[in-house]
Amino acid sequence: MKAIELEKAYNPKNFEDKVYRQWLAADSFKPAEKAGDPYVVVIPPPNVTGILHLGHALVVSIIDIIIRFHRMRGESTLWMPGTDHAGIATQNVVEKRLRAKGINRRELGREKFVEETWKVKEDHHRIISEQLARMGASVDWSRERFTMDEGLSRAVREVFVRLYERDLLYKGNYLVNWCSSCGTALADDEVVHNDTPVKMYHLRYPLTGGGFIELATTRPETMLGDTAVAVHPDDERYRHLVGKKVLLPLADREIPVIADTYVDREFGTGVVKITPAHDPNDWDVGKRHDLPVINILTPEGRLNDEAPEKYRNLTIEEGRQAVLNDLKAGGFFIREEAITHAVGCCYRCGTVIEPFLSEQWFVRMKPLAEKALAAWRRGEVVFYPRKWENTYQHWLLNIRDWCISRQLWWGHRIPAWTCTECGKTSVSMQDLSTCPHCGSAHLEQDPDVLDTWFSSWLWPFSTLGWPEETSDLKRFYPTTALVTGYDIIFFWVARMIMAGLEFTGKAPFRDVYIHGLLRDKLGRKMSKSLRNGIDPLDIIDEFGADALKFTLAFTCAQGQDLLVDKESFRLGSKFANKVWNASRYILMNLENRELVRDPVLIPVDRWIYSRLNGAVKSMEEAFLNYRFNDAAQTAYEYFWNDFCDWYVEATKLSFREGAGGSEKDRAVTVLLDVLAASLRLLHPLLPYVTEEIYGRLPNVQGAGALICAAYPKYDAMLDDAQAERNFGFLQELVRSVRTLRSECTISPEKKIRVLVCPENDPEKVGFLTENSGLLKLLAGIGNLEISAEDGAANSTRPSGSIGLVGKGFEAFVYIAEAADLSFLKQKFGKEIEKDRKFAASLQAKLENEKFLQNAPPQLIEEEKLKMEESLKRTAKLEAYIRDFS
């Protein structure tokens, strides 16, 4: 063989794009035609509103890792790509662009506006696709879907019609969450509640028979829509007022005092104003008492004609101030106080949400939720980690009907038509031109569109061709796993389970892996305002896609958020670089070597195969249980420590001068075999660099691409407890000698003399004797003596040596022959003095009652550990001085 040259420096820019093109050309991402259950994952579809951020990169990385693992296990794998039209978010983007040009969407018209939105979708889709490719996503691009493509649009209409026919869909005037900025209703779970400093205003309402009643509100402007004042029926303070009237200040209307158990007697004065059109609890009270409903707001968030003339067309804030001024002037204002109140805001634009009376479409969710709960209880859906099942259960047990209509132009238009002649509404799979009830041609389609989640909840089966019985649907549904964040367990996860059970009779996936949120090193959520966000493409440009993927996996512990900054990704970069350099060293040493059949394994070979086998077992278990950080840490420890630091170093003994050609051929054969297996082991975590190197290995030529190679399988026959026990013994001895060399500042080139006295164990003595050359190589020993006496416990320490004690051995390093003893005494003395001062400061801190009372327990334990380590080091250095004195 000839030596194989890898570029001297690891530079992922030189090969990542090339490797991805090779995978595409070979159709490596398409599911193979194989028997058995396939492994299927649908991508959480990114919104076509911009570029992918680090949160998307986390999801893409996790799914790609698990898909590659199952592909290499020989399973037919499908990762379905696609994007979401993201109704409100995308419409907001387009409206902002139009406003920048001085164009209002209503002036443009619905048809032209939708055309402009499709253009934005195409631009962003192209960028998203390029980003996914750069991240190495092994998605089947031939099956890519979009939530508004023809097939998915048909599925959406089919579901709407079926829900209507099953009486699970209804339309009516109800109080909804209204965003005046977006101009649309929102579902309850689209409202973000933030604790906000607000004012509580105490007011007095005059009783018609004389006197006043005091109440408090944070929204004085809504009093213009009050239709009652309520007290608790058992509150003796106000029982005599029930049935009487109060005169509503500023509106000159009489409203009743009613009794309702909704009122909290302990809160405030025990009296509340009832505004059914602008508070969900008041809406319920109003329904129970048949109260009038007065809506005082326009959809744009201004006071309407139901308010007294002087307040009309004012914004909410303007109206609040005007009302307060008039209440003070009229003597109705008592006082104000600062409180913290949970204020609901739009999840997209942040505008304060207004409870608003509006005609909307709703899905009856309770029957669907009951099926989803039952499926989970039967074990058909499993969450990783299991703690998120509590969130899932809580949402479904407390579910409310889902408002699905949105007052937007971008999205799936509601397939409902109202006849202007007979007044009846018809729902249909096909567009209607005549009324099915009276035959009139005067039909008006509902102008609203469906909530974007209405298409997303169908994603696992609509993407596979439903409602048609396609071959993909039969083969790949139900899917296997879902990867997503905990912030959309109800938005998306629970709804998909409900839809899957209702329309296919099956849960849409078995496993739900919930990852943590990405935060900066201070624990803060990444955001534009904090300027702590990280662009995944910046990471790829600087460190490579493998570094991005490996670092995210390494830090992705189940049930925990991920704390990262840009520097964090050096971890993955250094590891990929280690793989590159180790492989380069091996391939450079192939000159004039020949591969041999069935090479004889020496003890260190049996050890590395046993270590590799253990890593295979651990990583397989970790991947199957979605413990990505465990898999990444095992891969790191095995390849960096076992393979590179020990095994590759150990094989240098076989390549030393004087070693025979047959031994070099044997060593090369085993080394290449272990390297090939190691690259297969690492591939899901580092796909690009492993693929690039694997294609250069002479022992796998003609075997095909690594992406489709077989993942290593655990084999109990490869477990070698004796090899691991003996090599572990040698490792501890080598580490002890290396540590002493470092402490005594002995250069690596300096060969030292060492006497090793193993305990009276023929296996250890025999192993050390047989592998003395390896021990000398790894510990930098020039002259090695091995004593067969009983552990040297009874022997005399050689003059000028320092003794080392480990599990099963005692060793003596002739330090006087390798270092200046007077220099070492001075050096160790200074270090002992420094350690004593440090230990004394720690002791004082740990005896300080104030510190012990206020410090977290973890910090106290850390300080105790520091002191313990300091005292141990002092004792060791003192022993060194005694030894060579």
Side-chain angles (χ1 to χ4, degrees), residues 20-65:
Y20 198 81
R21 289 195 300 271
Q22 290 171 350
W23 289 331
L24 287 175
D27 285 339
S28 300
F29 303 157
K30 292 185 177 181
E33 293 291 340
K34 294 182 179 180
D37 293 335
Y39 191 90
V40 185
V41 180
V42 292
I43 196 171
N47 294 343
V48 287
T49 51
I51 60 175
L52 304 184
H53 54 64
L54 196 60
H56 293 110
L58 173 62
V59 174
V60 170
S61 297
I62 289 172
I63 299 177
D64 193 58
I65 288 167

Coordinates of all heavy atoms in Angstrom, one line a residue, residues 20-65:
Y20 N -22.1 16.5 1.0 CA -23.5 16.6 0.9 C -24.0 16.3 -0.5 O -25.0 15.6 -0.7 CB -24.0 17.9 1.4 CG -25.5 17.9 1.8 CD1 -25.9 17.5 3.0 CD2 -26.5 18.4 0.9 CE1 -27.3 17.4 3.4 CE2 -27.8 18.4 1.2 CZ -28.2 17.9 2.5 OH -29.5 17.9 2.8
R21 N -23.3 16.8 -1.5 CA -23.7 16.6 -2.9 C -23.6 15.1 -3.2 O -24.4 14.6 -4.0 CB -22.8 17.4 -3.8 CG -23.2 18.9 -3.8 CD -22.5 19.7 -4.9 NE -21.1 19.6 -5.0 CZ -20.2 20.4 -4.4 NH1 -20.7 21.4 -3.7 NH2 -18.9 20.2 -4.5
Q22 N -22.6 14.5 -2.7 CA -22.4 13.0 -2.9 C -23.6 12.2 -2.4 O -24.1 11.3 -3.0 CB -21.1 12.5 -2.3 CG -19.8 13.0 -3.1 CD -18.6 12.7 -2.3 OE1 -18.6 12.3 -1.2 NE2 -17.4 13.0 -3.0
W23 N -24.0 12.6 -1.1 CA -25.1 11.9 -0.5 C -26.4 12.1 -1.4 O -27.1 11.1 -1.6 CB -25.4 12.5 0.9 CG -24.3 12.1 1.9 CD1 -23.6 10.9 1.9 CD2 -24.0 12.8 3.1 NE1 -22.8 10.9 3.0 CE2 -23.0 12.0 3.8 CE3 -24.4 14.0 3.6 CZ2 -22.4 12.5 5.0 CZ3 -23.8 14.4 4.8 CH2 -22.9 13.7 5.5
L24 N -26.6 13.3 -1.9 CA -27.8 13.6 -2.7 C -27.7 12.8 -4.0 O -28.7 12.2 -4.4 CB -27.9 15.1 -3.0 CG -28.3 16.0 -1.8 CD1 -28.2 17.5 -2.3 CD2 -29.7 15.7 -1.3
A25 N -26.6 12.8 -4.6 CA -26.4 12.1 -5.9 C -26.7 10.6 -5.8 O -27.2 10.0 -6.7 CB -25.0 12.3 -6.5
A26 N -26.4 10.1 -4.6 CA -26.5 8.6 -4.4 C -27.9 8.3 -3.8 O -28.2 7.1 -3.4 CB -25.4 8.1 -3.4
D27 N -28.8 9.3 -3.6 CA -30.1 9.1 -3.0 C -30.0 8.5 -1.6 O -30.8 7.7 -1.2 CB -31.0 8.2 -3.9 CG -31.5 8.9 -5.1 OD1 -31.6 10.2 -5.1 OD2 -31.9 8.3 -6.1
S28 N -29.0 8.9 -0.9 CA -28.7 8.3 0.4 C -29.8 8.6 1.4 O -29.9 7.9 2.5 CB -27.3 8.8 0.9 OG -26.3 8.4 0.1
F29 N -30.6 9.7 1.2 CA -31.5 10.1 2.2 C -32.9 9.5 2.0 O -33.8 9.6 2.8 CB -31.7 11.6 2.2 CG -30.4 12.4 2.4 CD1 -30.4 13.7 1.9 CD2 -29.4 11.9 3.0 CE1 -29.2 14.5 2.1 CE2 -28.2 12.6 3.2 CZ -28.1 13.9 2.8
K30 N -33.1 8.8 0.9 CA -34.4 8.1 0.6 C -34.5 6.8 1.4 O -33.5 6.1 1.6 CB -34.5 7.9 -0.9 CG -34.7 9.2 -1.7 CD -35.0 8.9 -3.1 CE -35.2 10.2 -3.9 NZ -35.5 10.0 -5.3
P31 N -35.7 6.5 1.8 CA -35.9 5.2 2.6 C -35.6 4.0 1.7 O -36.1 4.0 0.6 CB -37.3 5.3 3.1 CG -38.0 6.3 2.1 CD -37.0 7.2 1.7
A32 N -34.9 3.1 2.2 CA -34.6 1.9 1.4 C -35.8 0.9 1.5 O -36.6 1.0 2.4 CB -33.3 1.2 2.0
E33 N -35.9 0.1 0.5 CA -37.0 -0.9 0.4 C -36.5 -2.1 1.3 O -35.8 -3.0 0.8 CB -37.2 -1.3 -1.0 CG -37.8 -0.2 -1.9 CD -39.3 0.1 -1.5 OE1 -39.9 -0.7 -0.8 OE2 -39.7 1.2 -1.8
K34 N -37.0 -2.1 2.5 CA -36.6 -3.1 3.5 C -37.8 -3.6 4.2 O -38.7 -2.9 4.5 CB -35.5 -2.6 4.4 CG -34.2 -2.3 3.8 CD -33.2 -1.8 4.8 CE -31.8 -1.5 4.2 NZ -30.8 -1.1 5.2
A35 N -37.7 -4.9 4.7 CA -38.8 -5.4 5.5 C -38.6 -4.9 6.9 O -37.6 -4.3 7.3 CB -38.7 -7.0 5.5
G36 N -39.7 -5.0 7.7 CA -39.7 -4.5 9.1 C -40.2 -3.1 9.2 O -40.5 -2.4 8.2
D37 N -40.4 -2.7 10.4 CA -41.0 -1.4 10.6 C -40.0 -0.3 10.3 O -38.8 -0.4 10.7 CB -41.4 -1.2 12.1 CG -42.6 -2.1 12.5 OD1 -43.3 -2.5 11.6 OD2 -42.7 -2.5 13.7
P38 N -40.4 0.7 9.6 CA -39.5 1.8 9.2 C -39.4 2.8 10.4 O -40.2 2.7 11.4 CB -40.2 2.6 8.1 CG -41.7 2.3 8.3 CD -41.8 0.9 8.9
Y39 N -38.3 3.6 10.4 CA -38.2 4.6 11.4 C -38.4 6.0 10.7 O -37.7 6.3 9.8 CB -36.7 4.6 12.0 CG -36.6 5.5 13.2 CD1 -36.8 4.9 14.5 CD2 -36.3 6.8 13.1 CE1 -36.7 5.7 15.6 CE2 -36.2 7.6 14.2 CZ -36.4 7.1 15.5 OH -36.3 7.9 16.6
V40 N -39.5 6.7 11.2 CA -40.0 7.8 10.5 C -40.1 9.0 11.4 O -40.6 8.9 12.6 CB -41.4 7.6 9.9 CG1 -41.8 8.8 9.0 CG2 -41.4 6.3 9.0
V41 N -39.6 10.2 11.0 CA -39.7 11.4 11.7 C -40.1 12.5 10.8 O -39.6 12.6 9.6 CB -38.3 11.8 12.4 CG1 -38.5 13.1 13.1 CG2 -37.8 10.7 13.3
V42 N -41.1 13.3 11.2 CA -41.5 14.5 10.4 C -40.8 15.7 11.0 O -40.7 15.8 12.2 CB -43.0 14.7 10.3 CG1 -43.7 13.6 9.5 CG2 -43.6 14.8 11.7
I43 N -40.2 16.6 10.2 CA -39.6 17.7 10.7 C -40.6 18.7 11.3 O -41.7 18.8 10.7 CB -38.8 18.5 9.6 CG1 -37.8 19.5 10.2 CG2 -39.7 19.2 8.6 CD1 -36.8 20.0 9.2
P44 N -40.4 19.3 12.5 CA -41.2 20.4 12.9 C -41.1 21.5 11.9 O -40.0 22.1 11.7 CB -40.6 20.8 14.3 CG -39.9 19.6 14.7 CD -39.3 19.0 13.5
P45 N -42.1 21.8 11.1 CA -41.9 22.6 9.9 C -41.6 24.1 10.3 O -42.3 24.7 11.0 CB -43.3 22.6 9.2 CG -44.3 22.2 10.3 CD -43.5 21.3 11.2
P46 N -40.4 24.6 9.9 CA -40.1 25.9 10.2 C -41.0 26.9 9.5 O -41.5 26.6 8.4 CB -38.6 26.1 9.6 CG -38.2 24.7 9.2 CD -39.4 23.9 9.0
N47 N -41.3 28.0 10.1 CA -42.1 29.1 9.5 C -41.4 29.8 8.4 O -40.2 30.1 8.5 CB -42.5 30.1 10.6 CG -43.4 29.5 11.7 OD1 -44.0 28.5 11.5 ND2 -43.5 30.2 12.8
V48 N -42.1 30.0 7.3 CA -41.5 30.7 6.2 C -41.5 32.2 6.4 O -42.0 33.0 5.6 CB -42.2 30.4 4.8 CG1 -41.9 29.0 4.4 CG2 -43.7 30.6 5.0
T49 N -41.0 32.6 7.6 CA -40.9 34.0 7.9 C -39.5 34.6 8.0 O -39.3 35.7 8.3 CB -41.6 34.3 9.3 OG1 -41.1 33.3 10.2 CG2 -43.1 34.1 9.2
G50 N -38.5 33.8 7.8 CA -37.2 34.2 8.0 C -36.2 33.1 7.9 O -36.5 32.1 7.3
I51 N -35.1 33.3 8.5 CA -34.0 32.2 8.5 C -34.0 31.4 9.8 O -34.6 31.8 10.8 CB -32.6 32.9 8.3 CG1 -32.3 33.8 9.4 CG2 -32.6 33.6 6.9 CD1 -30.9 34.4 9.4
L52 N -33.4 30.3 9.7 CA -33.4 29.4 10.9 C -32.4 29.9 11.9 O -31.3 30.4 11.6 CB -33.0 28.0 10.5 CG -33.8 27.3 9.3 CD1 -33.3 25.9 9.1 CD2 -35.3 27.3 9.7
H53 N -32.8 29.8 13.2 CA -32.0 30.2 14.3 C -31.4 29.0 15.0 O -31.6 27.8 14.6 CB -32.7 31.1 15.3 CG -34.0 30.6 15.8 ND1 -34.1 29.4 16.6 CD2 -35.3 31.0 15.6 CE1 -35.3 29.2 16.9 NE2 -36.1 30.1 16.3
L54 N -30.7 29.2 16.1 CA -30.0 28.1 16.8 C -31.0 27.1 17.4 O -30.7 25.9 17.5 CB -29.1 28.7 17.9 CG -28.0 27.7 18.4 CD1 -27.1 27.3 17.3 CD2 -27.3 28.4 19.6
G55 N -32.2 27.6 17.7 CA -33.2 26.6 18.2 C -33.6 25.6 17.1 O -33.7 24.4 17.4
H56 N -33.7 26.1 15.9 CA -34.0 25.2 14.8 C -32.8 24.3 14.6 O -33.0 23.1 14.3 CB -34.2 26.0 13.5 CG -35.4 26.8 13.4 ND1 -35.4 28.2 13.5 CD2 -36.7 26.5 13.4 CE1 -36.6 28.7 13.4 NE2 -37.5 27.6 13.4
A57 N -31.6 24.8 14.7 CA -30.4 24.0 14.5 C -30.3 22.8 15.5 O -29.9 21.7 15.2 CB -29.1 24.8 14.6
L58 N -30.8 23.1 16.7 CA -30.9 22.0 17.8 C -31.8 20.9 17.3 O -31.4 19.7 17.4 CB -31.3 22.6 19.1 CG -31.6 21.6 20.2 CD1 -30.3 20.9 20.6 CD2 -32.1 22.3 21.5
V59 N -33.0 21.3 16.9 CA -34.0 20.3 16.5 C -33.4 19.5 15.3 O -33.5 18.2 15.2 CB -35.3 20.9 16.1 CG1 -36.3 19.9 15.5 CG2 -35.9 21.5 17.3
V60 N -32.9 20.2 14.3 CA -32.3 19.6 13.1 C -31.2 18.6 13.5 O -31.1 17.5 12.9 CB -31.8 20.6 12.1 CG1 -31.0 20.0 10.9 CG2 -33.0 21.4 11.5
S61 N -30.3 19.0 14.4 CA -29.2 18.2 14.8 C -29.6 16.9 15.4 O -29.2 15.8 15.1 CB -28.3 19.0 15.7 OG -27.7 20.1 15.1
I62 N -30.6 17.1 16.4 CA -31.1 15.9 17.1 C -31.7 14.9 16.2 O -31.5 13.7 16.2 CB -32.1 16.3 18.2 CG1 -31.3 17.1 19.3 CG2 -32.8 15.1 18.8 CD1 -32.2 17.7 20.3
I63 N -32.6 15.4 15.3 CA -33.3 14.5 14.4 C -32.3 13.8 13.4 O -32.4 12.6 13.1 CB -34.4 15.2 13.6 CG1 -35.5 15.8 14.5 CG2 -35.0 14.2 12.6 CD1 -36.5 16.6 13.8
D64 N -31.3 14.6 12.9 CA -30.4 14.0 12.0 C -29.5 12.9 12.6 O -29.3 11.9 12.0 CB -29.4 15.1 11.4 CG -28.6 14.7 10.2 OD1 -29.3 14.2 9.2 OD2 -27.4 14.7 10.3
I65 N -29.2 13.1 13.9 CA -28.4 12.1 14.6 C -29.2 10.8 14.7 O -28.7 9.8 14.4 CB -28.0 12.7 16.0 CG1 -26.9 13.8 15.9 CG2 -27.5 11.5 16.9 CD1 -26.8 14.5 17.2

